[in-house]
């Protein structure tokens, strides 16, 4: 195929629709771009700063040990932000695809709870990095799977404020404004062991993903060939999407479909025949791409 007609095949919506209709075993891997379409800052990627801290440096067990008040403020702020945005049409489209295609499984790196709020069937959703709205004890097995208190405790109230002057950044986000020193005794403590601090139920850098969840995903991938891998809001050439796309690919059968705000020249070159790439906002693209299977979806949260 000439380069131009190869590219045309990669971006053809009718060809994608044809493949989608025939696909039963579909895996989606979702990344930060999906939540960005809801207006949520992601703090990921190069230079993602929160106050004057590199956000990546705050998302470690070491940072929590060193300054649990600061790390909790960062997470309390992210909880507050996530509660104040809504699932977008892409979340609803994926949830509907799960209802229409029982062989669809969605893996998401996002911790913002937006898939759950869009009623994605829980048995077809794996939250790879946990959730901002689950809590766990730093030491004993206690967990609270769903807690949306905002603020979580009085000491974390600065993270749940709205800006007194909308033209200025929230004092919490302005590194020139000092933070109140939060004592450990003011942070939530485990109701079970009554001794240790409670921490966010997310996977931090340097921590392992849930072993049982990973085993279940592996088992699903190995059961039968996968017809389609949808990579949404992240590149299909970076971890973990790249790993899943590679493992799920059966030559000549599996289409890897990238839906992302930006698809690089190198990404296009790396695509195989039968793959697809759609560049743009996932919240606009997914309802159109999945339309022939899901119909017109009016997403609404329950009251
Ligand atoms: Zn405990």
């Amino acid at each position: 195929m000439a380069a131009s007609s190869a590219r045309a095949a990669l971006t053809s919506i009718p060809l994608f629709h044809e493949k989608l209709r025939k696909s039963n075993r579909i895996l989606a891997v979702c990344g930060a771009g999906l939540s960005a379409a809801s207006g949520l800052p992601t703090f990921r990627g190069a230079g993602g700063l929160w106050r004057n801290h590199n956000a990546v440096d705050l998302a470690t067990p070491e940072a929590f040990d060193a300054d649990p008040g600061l790390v909790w403020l960062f997470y309390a702020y992210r909880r507050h932000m996530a509660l104040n945005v809504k699932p977008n049409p892409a979340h609803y489209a994926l949830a509907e695809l799960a209802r229409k295609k029982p062989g669809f499984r969605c893996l998401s790196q996002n911790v913002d709870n937006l898939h759950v709020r869009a009623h994605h069937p829980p048995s077809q959703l794996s939250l790879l990095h946990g959730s901002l709205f689950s809590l766990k004890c730093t030491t004993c097995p206690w967990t609270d799977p769903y807690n949306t208190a905002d603020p979580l405790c009085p000491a974390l109230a600065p993270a749940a404020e709205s800006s007194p002057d909308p033209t200025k950044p929230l004092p919490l986000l302005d590194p020139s404004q000092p933070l109140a020193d939060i004592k450990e005794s003011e942070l939530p403590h485990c109701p079970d062991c009554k001794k240790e601090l409670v921490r966010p139920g997310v996977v931090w850098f340097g921590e392992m993903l849930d072993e049982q969840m990973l085993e279940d995903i592996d088992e699903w991938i190995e059961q039968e060939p996968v017809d389609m891998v949808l990579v949404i809001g992240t590149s299909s050439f970076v971890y973990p999407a790249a790993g899943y796309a590679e493992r799920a690919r059966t030559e000549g059968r599996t289409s890897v479909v990238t839906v992302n705000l930006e698809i690089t020249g190198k990404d296009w070159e790396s695509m195989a025949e039968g793959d697809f790439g759609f560049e743009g906002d996932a919240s606009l693209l997914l309802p159109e791409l999945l339309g022939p299977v899901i119909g017109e979806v009016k997403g609404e949260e329950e009251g």
Side-chain angles (χ1 to χ4, degrees), residues 17-28 97-105 124 220 223-230 253-255 293:
H17 282 163
E18 196 181 306
K19 174 73 186 184
L20 177 70
R21 282 196 196 91
K22 291 188 296 195
S23 295
N24 290 312
R25 301 242 313 147
I26 303 173
L27 184 70
L97 183 66
R99 281 182 282 270
K100 292 281 162 41
K101 298 256 188 193
F104 169 50
R105 181 102 187 226
Q124 289 165 272
W220 186 91
Q223 264 166 15
E224 269 179 73
V226 175
D227 301 308
M228 179 179 280
V229 182
L230 294 164
R253 168 152 179 169
T254 314
S255 291
V293 171

PDB file of all heavy atoms in Angstrom, residues 17-28 97-105 124 220 223-230 253-255 293:
ATOM      1  N   HIS A  17     -15.974   1.059  11.935  1.00  0.00           N
ATOM      2  CA  HIS A  17     -17.317   0.587  12.304  1.00  0.00           C
ATOM      3  C   HIS A  17     -17.525  -0.869  11.898  1.00  0.00           C
ATOM      4  O   HIS A  17     -18.123  -1.651  12.636  1.00  0.00           O
ATOM      5  CB  HIS A  17     -18.387   1.480  11.659  1.00  0.00           C
ATOM      6  CG  HIS A  17     -18.561   2.787  12.390  1.00  0.00           C
ATOM      7  ND1 HIS A  17     -19.192   3.870  11.830  1.00  0.00           N
ATOM      8  CD2 HIS A  17     -18.177   3.184  13.628  1.00  0.00           C
ATOM      9  CE1 HIS A  17     -19.201   4.883  12.704  1.00  0.00           C
ATOM     10  NE2 HIS A  17     -18.576   4.480  13.798  1.00  0.00           N
ATOM     11  N   GLU A  18     -17.037  -1.207  10.701  1.00  0.00           N
ATOM     12  CA  GLU A  18     -17.164  -2.584  10.214  1.00  0.00           C
ATOM     13  C   GLU A  18     -16.465  -3.554  11.185  1.00  0.00           C
ATOM     14  O   GLU A  18     -17.009  -4.597  11.548  1.00  0.00           O
ATOM     15  CB  GLU A  18     -16.512  -2.643   8.828  1.00  0.00           C
ATOM     16  CG  GLU A  18     -16.858  -3.849   7.999  1.00  0.00           C
ATOM     17  CD  GLU A  18     -16.103  -3.776   6.660  1.00  0.00           C
ATOM     18  OE1 GLU A  18     -16.226  -2.753   5.951  1.00  0.00           O
ATOM     19  OE2 GLU A  18     -15.370  -4.738   6.374  1.00  0.00           O
ATOM     20  N   LYS A  19     -15.260  -3.171  11.595  1.00  0.00           N
ATOM     21  CA  LYS A  19     -14.493  -4.018  12.516  1.00  0.00           C
ATOM     22  C   LYS A  19     -15.180  -4.093  13.886  1.00  0.00           C
ATOM     23  O   LYS A  19     -15.266  -5.162  14.503  1.00  0.00           O
ATOM     24  CB  LYS A  19     -13.062  -3.458  12.651  1.00  0.00           C
ATOM     25  CG  LYS A  19     -12.205  -4.143  13.687  1.00  0.00           C
ATOM     26  CD  LYS A  19     -11.743  -5.527  13.255  1.00  0.00           C
ATOM     27  CE  LYS A  19     -10.998  -6.223  14.395  1.00  0.00           C
ATOM     28  NZ  LYS A  19     -10.451  -7.516  14.007  1.00  0.00           N
ATOM     29  N   LEU A  20     -15.683  -2.960  14.352  1.00  0.00           N
ATOM     30  CA  LEU A  20     -16.317  -2.914  15.677  1.00  0.00           C
ATOM     31  C   LEU A  20     -17.537  -3.832  15.729  1.00  0.00           C
ATOM     32  O   LEU A  20     -17.734  -4.566  16.703  1.00  0.00           O
ATOM     33  CB  LEU A  20     -16.734  -1.469  16.017  1.00  0.00           C
ATOM     34  CG  LEU A  20     -17.482  -1.291  17.346  1.00  0.00           C
ATOM     35  CD1 LEU A  20     -16.541  -1.521  18.534  1.00  0.00           C
ATOM     36  CD2 LEU A  20     -18.108   0.105  17.447  1.00  0.00           C
ATOM     37  N   ARG A  21     -18.353  -3.807  14.675  1.00  0.00           N
ATOM     38  CA  ARG A  21     -19.569  -4.639  14.653  1.00  0.00           C
ATOM     39  C   ARG A  21     -19.215  -6.113  14.783  1.00  0.00           C
ATOM     40  O   ARG A  21     -19.923  -6.883  15.405  1.00  0.00           O
ATOM     41  CB  ARG A  21     -20.349  -4.403  13.349  1.00  0.00           C
ATOM     42  CG  ARG A  21     -21.141  -3.118  13.344  1.00  0.00           C
ATOM     43  CD  ARG A  21     -22.173  -3.138  12.209  1.00  0.00           C
ATOM     44  NE  ARG A  21     -22.672  -1.789  11.965  1.00  0.00           N
ATOM     45  CZ  ARG A  21     -22.144  -0.944  11.091  1.00  0.00           C
ATOM     46  NH1 ARG A  21     -21.094  -1.312  10.369  1.00  0.00           N
ATOM     47  NH2 ARG A  21     -22.651   0.259  10.943  1.00  0.00           N
ATOM     48  N   LYS A  22     -18.090  -6.495  14.176  1.00  0.00           N
ATOM     49  CA  LYS A  22     -17.695  -7.917  14.197  1.00  0.00           C
ATOM     50  C   LYS A  22     -16.936  -8.297  15.469  1.00  0.00           C
ATOM     51  O   LYS A  22     -16.644  -9.465  15.680  1.00  0.00           O
ATOM     52  CB  LYS A  22     -16.787  -8.213  12.982  1.00  0.00           C
ATOM     53  CG  LYS A  22     -17.514  -8.160  11.650  1.00  0.00           C
ATOM     54  CD  LYS A  22     -16.603  -8.644  10.514  1.00  0.00           C
ATOM     55  CE  LYS A  22     -15.399  -7.732  10.331  1.00  0.00           C
ATOM     56  NZ  LYS A  22     -14.654  -7.914   9.066  1.00  0.00           N
ATOM     57  N   SER A  23     -16.561  -7.307  16.278  1.00  0.00           N
ATOM     58  CA  SER A  23     -15.702  -7.575  17.434  1.00  0.00           C
ATOM     59  C   SER A  23     -16.541  -7.940  18.657  1.00  0.00           C
ATOM     60  O   SER A  23     -17.515  -7.258  18.973  1.00  0.00           O
ATOM     61  CB  SER A  23     -14.852  -6.342  17.759  1.00  0.00           C
ATOM     62  OG  SER A  23     -13.951  -6.089  16.702  1.00  0.00           O
ATOM     63  N   ASN A  24     -16.152  -9.017  19.318  1.00  0.00           N
ATOM     64  CA  ASN A  24     -16.828  -9.391  20.564  1.00  0.00           C
ATOM     65  C   ASN A  24     -15.926  -9.230  21.769  1.00  0.00           C
ATOM     66  O   ASN A  24     -16.355  -8.771  22.810  1.00  0.00           O
ATOM     67  CB  ASN A  24     -17.337 -10.826  20.471  1.00  0.00           C
ATOM     68  CG  ASN A  24     -18.488 -10.915  19.494  1.00  0.00           C
ATOM     69  OD1 ASN A  24     -19.416 -10.115  19.550  1.00  0.00           O
ATOM     70  ND2 ASN A  24     -18.396 -11.855  18.567  1.00  0.00           N
ATOM     71  N   ARG A  25     -14.677  -9.632  21.607  1.00  0.00           N
ATOM     72  CA  ARG A  25     -13.723  -9.514  22.716  1.00  0.00           C
ATOM     73  C   ARG A  25     -12.961  -8.203  22.531  1.00  0.00           C
ATOM     74  O   ARG A  25     -12.110  -8.081  21.653  1.00  0.00           O
ATOM     75  CB  ARG A  25     -12.776 -10.707  22.712  1.00  0.00           C
ATOM     76  CG  ARG A  25     -13.547 -12.030  22.843  1.00  0.00           C
ATOM     77  CD  ARG A  25     -13.201 -12.803  24.080  1.00  0.00           C
ATOM     78  NE  ARG A  25     -11.787 -12.901  24.304  1.00  0.00           N
ATOM     79  CZ  ARG A  25     -11.239 -12.928  25.525  1.00  0.00           C
ATOM     80  NH1 ARG A  25     -11.990 -12.838  26.594  1.00  0.00           N
ATOM     81  NH2 ARG A  25      -9.937 -13.030  25.661  1.00  0.00           N
ATOM     82  N   ILE A  26     -13.302  -7.222  23.341  1.00  0.00           N
ATOM     83  CA  ILE A  26     -12.723  -5.876  23.203  1.00  0.00           C
ATOM     84  C   ILE A  26     -12.109  -5.469  24.537  1.00  0.00           C
ATOM     85  O   ILE A  26     -12.723  -5.615  25.593  1.00  0.00           O
ATOM     86  CB  ILE A  26     -13.819  -4.850  22.811  1.00  0.00           C
ATOM     87  CG1 ILE A  26     -14.525  -5.280  21.520  1.00  0.00           C
ATOM     88  CG2 ILE A  26     -13.219  -3.445  22.650  1.00  0.00           C
ATOM     89  CD1 ILE A  26     -15.734  -4.420  21.149  1.00  0.00           C
ATOM     90  N   LEU A  27     -10.878  -4.978  24.463  1.00  0.00           N
ATOM     91  CA  LEU A  27     -10.187  -4.491  25.660  1.00  0.00           C
ATOM     92  C   LEU A  27      -9.964  -2.989  25.482  1.00  0.00           C
ATOM     93  O   LEU A  27      -9.530  -2.555  24.422  1.00  0.00           O
ATOM     94  CB  LEU A  27      -8.835  -5.206  25.777  1.00  0.00           C
ATOM     95  CG  LEU A  27      -7.992  -4.902  27.020  1.00  0.00           C
ATOM     96  CD1 LEU A  27      -8.642  -5.494  28.261  1.00  0.00           C
ATOM     97  CD2 LEU A  27      -6.579  -5.463  26.860  1.00  0.00           C
ATOM     98  N   ALA A  28     -10.286  -2.202  26.505  1.00  0.00           N
ATOM     99  CA  ALA A  28      -9.944  -0.772  26.458  1.00  0.00           C
ATOM    100  C   ALA A  28      -8.922  -0.488  27.549  1.00  0.00           C
ATOM    101  O   ALA A  28      -8.993  -1.058  28.639  1.00  0.00           O
ATOM    102  CB  ALA A  28     -11.179   0.091  26.661  1.00  0.00           C
ATOM    103  N   LEU A  97     -21.051   0.576  25.930  1.00  0.00           N
ATOM    104  CA  LEU A  97     -20.408  -0.505  25.166  1.00  0.00           C
ATOM    105  C   LEU A  97     -20.311  -1.770  26.035  1.00  0.00           C
ATOM    106  O   LEU A  97     -20.509  -2.886  25.549  1.00  0.00           O
ATOM    107  CB  LEU A  97     -19.002  -0.068  24.712  1.00  0.00           C
ATOM    108  CG  LEU A  97     -18.250  -1.077  23.830  1.00  0.00           C
ATOM    109  CD1 LEU A  97     -18.945  -1.260  22.473  1.00  0.00           C
ATOM    110  CD2 LEU A  97     -16.795  -0.669  23.617  1.00  0.00           C
ATOM    111  N   ALA A  98     -20.031  -1.585  27.321  1.00  0.00           N
ATOM    112  CA  ALA A  98     -19.942  -2.732  28.227  1.00  0.00           C
ATOM    113  C   ALA A  98     -21.294  -3.448  28.320  1.00  0.00           C
ATOM    114  O   ALA A  98     -21.345  -4.674  28.378  1.00  0.00           O
ATOM    115  CB  ALA A  98     -19.475  -2.270  29.611  1.00  0.00           C
ATOM    116  N   ARG A  99     -22.381  -2.680  28.328  1.00  0.00           N
ATOM    117  CA  ARG A  99     -23.708  -3.312  28.403  1.00  0.00           C
ATOM    118  C   ARG A  99     -24.062  -4.017  27.091  1.00  0.00           C
ATOM    119  O   ARG A  99     -24.681  -5.073  27.087  1.00  0.00           O
ATOM    120  CB  ARG A  99     -24.776  -2.270  28.765  1.00  0.00           C
ATOM    121  CG  ARG A  99     -24.784  -1.947  30.270  1.00  0.00           C
ATOM    122  CD  ARG A  99     -25.884  -0.952  30.629  1.00  0.00           C
ATOM    123  NE  ARG A  99     -25.512   0.391  30.275  1.00  0.00           N
ATOM    124  CZ  ARG A  99     -24.861   1.228  31.099  1.00  0.00           C
ATOM    125  NH1 ARG A  99     -24.537   0.844  32.319  1.00  0.00           N
ATOM    126  NH2 ARG A  99     -24.546   2.437  30.698  1.00  0.00           N
ATOM    127  N   LYS A 100     -23.627  -3.430  25.956  1.00  0.00           N
ATOM    128  CA  LYS A 100     -23.978  -4.004  24.652  1.00  0.00           C
ATOM    129  C   LYS A 100     -23.068  -5.174  24.282  1.00  0.00           C
ATOM    130  O   LYS A 100     -23.476  -6.080  23.560  1.00  0.00           O
ATOM    131  CB  LYS A 100     -23.892  -2.918  23.571  1.00  0.00           C
ATOM    132  CG  LYS A 100     -24.963  -1.833  23.706  1.00  0.00           C
ATOM    133  CD  LYS A 100     -26.280  -2.333  23.166  1.00  0.00           C
ATOM    134  CE  LYS A 100     -27.529  -1.586  23.594  1.00  0.00           C
ATOM    135  NZ  LYS A 100     -27.511  -0.157  23.651  1.00  0.00           N
ATOM    136  N   LYS A 101     -21.818  -5.137  24.736  1.00  0.00           N
ATOM    137  CA  LYS A 101     -20.868  -6.206  24.378  1.00  0.00           C
ATOM    138  C   LYS A 101     -20.337  -6.833  25.675  1.00  0.00           C
ATOM    139  O   LYS A 101     -19.406  -6.303  26.292  1.00  0.00           O
ATOM    140  CB  LYS A 101     -19.689  -5.628  23.574  1.00  0.00           C
ATOM    141  CG  LYS A 101     -20.064  -4.992  22.239  1.00  0.00           C
ATOM    142  CD  LYS A 101     -19.694  -5.891  21.080  1.00  0.00           C
ATOM    143  CE  LYS A 101     -19.889  -5.186  19.749  1.00  0.00           C
ATOM    144  NZ  LYS A 101     -19.840  -6.140  18.604  1.00  0.00           N
ATOM    145  N   PRO A 102     -20.911  -7.960  26.082  1.00  0.00           N
ATOM    146  CA  PRO A 102     -20.470  -8.575  27.339  1.00  0.00           C
ATOM    147  C   PRO A 102     -18.993  -8.980  27.306  1.00  0.00           C
ATOM    148  O   PRO A 102     -18.389  -9.181  28.352  1.00  0.00           O
ATOM    149  CB  PRO A 102     -21.366  -9.817  27.462  1.00  0.00           C
ATOM    150  CG  PRO A 102     -22.499  -9.595  26.519  1.00  0.00           C
ATOM    151  CD  PRO A 102     -22.009  -8.687  25.439  1.00  0.00           C
ATOM    152  N   GLY A 103     -18.415  -9.077  26.098  1.00  0.00           N
ATOM    153  CA  GLY A 103     -17.007  -9.427  25.981  1.00  0.00           C
ATOM    154  C   GLY A 103     -16.083  -8.228  26.030  1.00  0.00           C
ATOM    155  O   GLY A 103     -14.928  -8.314  25.615  1.00  0.00           O
ATOM    156  N   PHE A 104     -16.594  -7.093  26.491  1.00  0.00           N
ATOM    157  CA  PHE A 104     -15.771  -5.878  26.594  1.00  0.00           C
ATOM    158  C   PHE A 104     -15.272  -5.723  28.020  1.00  0.00           C
ATOM    159  O   PHE A 104     -16.025  -5.864  28.987  1.00  0.00           O
ATOM    160  CB  PHE A 104     -16.609  -4.646  26.193  1.00  0.00           C
ATOM    161  CG  PHE A 104     -15.952  -3.328  26.507  1.00  0.00           C
ATOM    162  CD1 PHE A 104     -14.643  -3.073  26.126  1.00  0.00           C
ATOM    163  CD2 PHE A 104     -16.642  -2.337  27.189  1.00  0.00           C
ATOM    164  CE1 PHE A 104     -14.032  -1.846  26.421  1.00  0.00           C
ATOM    165  CE2 PHE A 104     -16.058  -1.118  27.490  1.00  0.00           C
ATOM    166  CZ  PHE A 104     -14.740  -0.878  27.109  1.00  0.00           C
ATOM    167  N   ARG A 105     -13.989  -5.415  28.125  1.00  0.00           N
ATOM    168  CA  ARG A 105     -13.368  -5.212  29.436  1.00  0.00           C
ATOM    169  C   ARG A 105     -12.598  -3.899  29.405  1.00  0.00           C
ATOM    170  O   ARG A 105     -11.816  -3.655  28.488  1.00  0.00           O
ATOM    171  CB  ARG A 105     -12.425  -6.393  29.676  1.00  0.00           C
ATOM    172  CG  ARG A 105     -11.729  -6.365  30.981  1.00  0.00           C
ATOM    173  CD  ARG A 105     -12.391  -7.336  31.934  1.00  0.00           C
ATOM    174  NE  ARG A 105     -11.810  -7.175  33.250  1.00  0.00           N
ATOM    175  CZ  ARG A 105     -11.421  -8.175  34.025  1.00  0.00           C
ATOM    176  NH1 ARG A 105     -11.567  -9.410  33.624  1.00  0.00           N
ATOM    177  NH2 ARG A 105     -10.910  -7.943  35.209  1.00  0.00           N
ATOM    178  N   GLN A 124     -16.940  -5.290  34.564  1.00  0.00           N
ATOM    179  CA  GLN A 124     -16.215  -5.074  33.310  1.00  0.00           C
ATOM    180  C   GLN A 124     -15.263  -3.881  33.411  1.00  0.00           C
ATOM    181  O   GLN A 124     -14.890  -3.290  32.405  1.00  0.00           O
ATOM    182  CB  GLN A 124     -17.215  -4.863  32.163  1.00  0.00           C
ATOM    183  CG  GLN A 124     -17.953  -6.138  31.781  1.00  0.00           C
ATOM    184  CD  GLN A 124     -19.176  -5.860  30.930  1.00  0.00           C
ATOM    185  OE1 GLN A 124     -20.275  -5.636  31.439  1.00  0.00           O
ATOM    186  NE2 GLN A 124     -18.993  -5.840  29.623  1.00  0.00           N
ATOM    187  N   TRP A 220      -8.121 -13.160  31.452  1.00  0.00           N
ATOM    188  CA  TRP A 220      -9.075 -12.717  30.436  1.00  0.00           C
ATOM    189  C   TRP A 220      -8.395 -12.617  29.070  1.00  0.00           C
ATOM    190  O   TRP A 220      -8.934 -13.065  28.061  1.00  0.00           O
ATOM    191  CB  TRP A 220      -9.676 -11.357  30.844  1.00  0.00           C
ATOM    192  CG  TRP A 220     -10.764 -10.904  29.924  1.00  0.00           C
ATOM    193  CD1 TRP A 220     -12.099 -11.155  30.041  1.00  0.00           C
ATOM    194  CD2 TRP A 220     -10.610 -10.143  28.717  1.00  0.00           C
ATOM    195  NE1 TRP A 220     -12.782 -10.601  28.996  1.00  0.00           N
ATOM    196  CE2 TRP A 220     -11.901  -9.980  28.165  1.00  0.00           C
ATOM    197  CE3 TRP A 220      -9.518  -9.587  28.040  1.00  0.00           C
ATOM    198  CZ2 TRP A 220     -12.123  -9.272  26.982  1.00  0.00           C
ATOM    199  CZ3 TRP A 220      -9.746  -8.896  26.849  1.00  0.00           C
ATOM    200  CH2 TRP A 220     -11.029  -8.745  26.339  1.00  0.00           C
ATOM    201  N   GLN A 223      -7.711 -16.160  27.603  1.00  0.00           N
ATOM    202  CA  GLN A 223      -8.854 -17.055  27.348  1.00  0.00           C
ATOM    203  C   GLN A 223      -9.070 -17.347  25.871  1.00  0.00           C
ATOM    204  O   GLN A 223      -9.207 -18.497  25.459  1.00  0.00           O
ATOM    205  CB  GLN A 223     -10.144 -16.413  27.875  1.00  0.00           C
ATOM    206  CG  GLN A 223     -10.534 -16.881  29.253  1.00  0.00           C
ATOM    207  CD  GLN A 223     -11.613 -15.957  29.837  1.00  0.00           C
ATOM    208  OE1 GLN A 223     -12.241 -15.175  29.104  1.00  0.00           O
ATOM    209  NE2 GLN A 223     -11.807 -16.052  31.130  1.00  0.00           N
ATOM    210  N   GLU A 224      -9.143 -16.290  25.076  1.00  0.00           N
ATOM    211  CA  GLU A 224      -9.499 -16.394  23.656  1.00  0.00           C
ATOM    212  C   GLU A 224      -8.886 -15.189  22.964  1.00  0.00           C
ATOM    213  O   GLU A 224      -8.618 -14.190  23.620  1.00  0.00           O
ATOM    214  CB  GLU A 224     -11.025 -16.254  23.497  1.00  0.00           C
ATOM    215  CG  GLU A 224     -11.803 -17.544  23.530  1.00  0.00           C
ATOM    216  CD  GLU A 224     -13.289 -17.246  23.392  1.00  0.00           C
ATOM    217  OE1 GLU A 224     -13.709 -16.895  22.261  1.00  0.00           O
ATOM    218  OE2 GLU A 224     -14.002 -17.305  24.405  1.00  0.00           O
ATOM    219  N   PRO A 225      -8.700 -15.240  21.638  1.00  0.00           N
ATOM    220  CA  PRO A 225      -8.121 -14.063  20.970  1.00  0.00           C
ATOM    221  C   PRO A 225      -8.964 -12.813  21.182  1.00  0.00           C
ATOM    222  O   PRO A 225     -10.188 -12.882  21.273  1.00  0.00           O
ATOM    223  CB  PRO A 225      -8.110 -14.468  19.490  1.00  0.00           C
ATOM    224  CG  PRO A 225      -8.141 -15.949  19.496  1.00  0.00           C
ATOM    225  CD  PRO A 225      -8.921 -16.359  20.731  1.00  0.00           C
ATOM    226  N   VAL A 226      -8.277 -11.680  21.265  1.00  0.00           N
ATOM    227  CA  VAL A 226      -8.934 -10.383  21.459  1.00  0.00           C
ATOM    228  C   VAL A 226      -9.122  -9.742  20.081  1.00  0.00           C
ATOM    229  O   VAL A 226      -8.204  -9.722  19.268  1.00  0.00           O
ATOM    230  CB  VAL A 226      -8.077  -9.491  22.382  1.00  0.00           C
ATOM    231  CG1 VAL A 226      -8.676  -8.099  22.509  1.00  0.00           C
ATOM    232  CG2 VAL A 226      -7.920 -10.147  23.756  1.00  0.00           C
ATOM    233  N   ASP A 227     -10.332  -9.250  19.793  1.00  0.00           N
ATOM    234  CA  ASP A 227     -10.612  -8.674  18.473  1.00  0.00           C
ATOM    235  C   ASP A 227     -10.122  -7.236  18.357  1.00  0.00           C
ATOM    236  O   ASP A 227      -9.711  -6.806  17.284  1.00  0.00           O
ATOM    237  CB  ASP A 227     -12.128  -8.699  18.218  1.00  0.00           C
ATOM    238  CG  ASP A 227     -12.681 -10.115  18.280  1.00  0.00           C
ATOM    239  OD1 ASP A 227     -12.122 -10.981  17.576  1.00  0.00           O
ATOM    240  OD2 ASP A 227     -13.640 -10.356  19.036  1.00  0.00           O
ATOM    241  N   MET A 228     -10.214  -6.500  19.462  1.00  0.00           N
ATOM    242  CA  MET A 228      -9.909  -5.068  19.365  1.00  0.00           C
ATOM    243  C   MET A 228      -9.366  -4.556  20.701  1.00  0.00           C
ATOM    244  O   MET A 228      -9.868  -4.943  21.759  1.00  0.00           O
ATOM    245  CB  MET A 228     -11.195  -4.304  19.006  1.00  0.00           C
ATOM    246  CG  MET A 228     -11.030  -2.805  18.892  1.00  0.00           C
ATOM    247  SD  MET A 228     -12.588  -1.988  18.427  1.00  0.00           S
ATOM    248  CE  MET A 228     -12.616  -2.270  16.654  1.00  0.00           C
ATOM    249  N   VAL A 229      -8.330  -3.718  20.617  1.00  0.00           N
ATOM    250  CA  VAL A 229      -7.827  -3.031  21.806  1.00  0.00           C
ATOM    251  C   VAL A 229      -8.021  -1.533  21.579  1.00  0.00           C
ATOM    252  O   VAL A 229      -7.475  -0.967  20.631  1.00  0.00           O
ATOM    253  CB  VAL A 229      -6.330  -3.332  22.060  1.00  0.00           C
ATOM    254  CG1 VAL A 229      -5.855  -2.636  23.335  1.00  0.00           C
ATOM    255  CG2 VAL A 229      -6.070  -4.834  22.158  1.00  0.00           C
ATOM    256  N   LEU A 230      -8.822  -0.905  22.423  1.00  0.00           N
ATOM    257  CA  LEU A 230      -9.030   0.544  22.338  1.00  0.00           C
ATOM    258  C   LEU A 230      -8.096   1.207  23.344  1.00  0.00           C
ATOM    259  O   LEU A 230      -8.130   0.888  24.530  1.00  0.00           O
ATOM    260  CB  LEU A 230     -10.472   0.890  22.729  1.00  0.00           C
ATOM    261  CG  LEU A 230     -11.600   0.411  21.823  1.00  0.00           C
ATOM    262  CD1 LEU A 230     -12.938   0.495  22.564  1.00  0.00           C
ATOM    263  CD2 LEU A 230     -11.661   1.266  20.559  1.00  0.00           C
ATOM    264  N   ARG A 253      -5.732 -10.466  13.333  1.00  0.00           N
ATOM    265  CA  ARG A 253      -7.081 -10.495  13.921  1.00  0.00           C
ATOM    266  C   ARG A 253      -7.366  -9.246  14.761  1.00  0.00           C
ATOM    267  O   ARG A 253      -8.450  -8.683  14.690  1.00  0.00           O
ATOM    268  CB  ARG A 253      -7.214 -11.732  14.812  1.00  0.00           C
ATOM    269  CG  ARG A 253      -8.469 -11.681  15.669  1.00  0.00           C
ATOM    270  CD  ARG A 253      -8.956 -13.040  15.991  1.00  0.00           C
ATOM    271  NE  ARG A 253     -10.145 -13.002  16.828  1.00  0.00           N
ATOM    272  CZ  ARG A 253     -10.875 -14.067  17.078  1.00  0.00           C
ATOM    273  NH1 ARG A 253     -10.542 -15.238  16.554  1.00  0.00           N
ATOM    274  NH2 ARG A 253     -11.937 -13.983  17.847  1.00  0.00           N
ATOM    275  N   THR A 254      -6.372  -8.839  15.554  1.00  0.00           N
ATOM    276  CA  THR A 254      -6.609  -7.778  16.529  1.00  0.00           C
ATOM    277  C   THR A 254      -6.324  -6.402  15.939  1.00  0.00           C
ATOM    278  O   THR A 254      -5.246  -6.176  15.383  1.00  0.00           O
ATOM    279  CB  THR A 254      -5.710  -7.987  17.763  1.00  0.00           C
ATOM    280  OG1 THR A 254      -5.775  -9.359  18.146  1.00  0.00           O
ATOM    281  CG2 THR A 254      -6.147  -7.102  18.912  1.00  0.00           C
ATOM    282  N   SER A 255      -7.281  -5.497  16.071  1.00  0.00           N
ATOM    283  CA  SER A 255      -7.042  -4.097  15.713  1.00  0.00           C
ATOM    284  C   SER A 255      -6.716  -3.312  16.976  1.00  0.00           C
ATOM    285  O   SER A 255      -7.466  -3.364  17.943  1.00  0.00           O
ATOM    286  CB  SER A 255      -8.302  -3.475  15.091  1.00  0.00           C
ATOM    287  OG  SER A 255      -8.557  -4.036  13.833  1.00  0.00           O
ATOM    288  N   VAL A 293     -22.890   0.578  17.642  1.00  0.00           N
ATOM    289  CA  VAL A 293     -23.190  -0.459  18.633  1.00  0.00           C
ATOM    290  C   VAL A 293     -24.001   0.109  19.793  1.00  0.00           C
ATOM    291  O   VAL A 293     -24.947  -0.518  20.268  1.00  0.00           O
ATOM    292  CB  VAL A 293     -21.882  -1.114  19.162  1.00  0.00           C
ATOM    293  CG1 VAL A 293     -22.172  -2.021  20.342  1.00  0.00           C
ATOM    294  CG2 VAL A 293     -21.193  -1.902  18.030  1.00  0.00           C
TER     295      VAL A 293
END
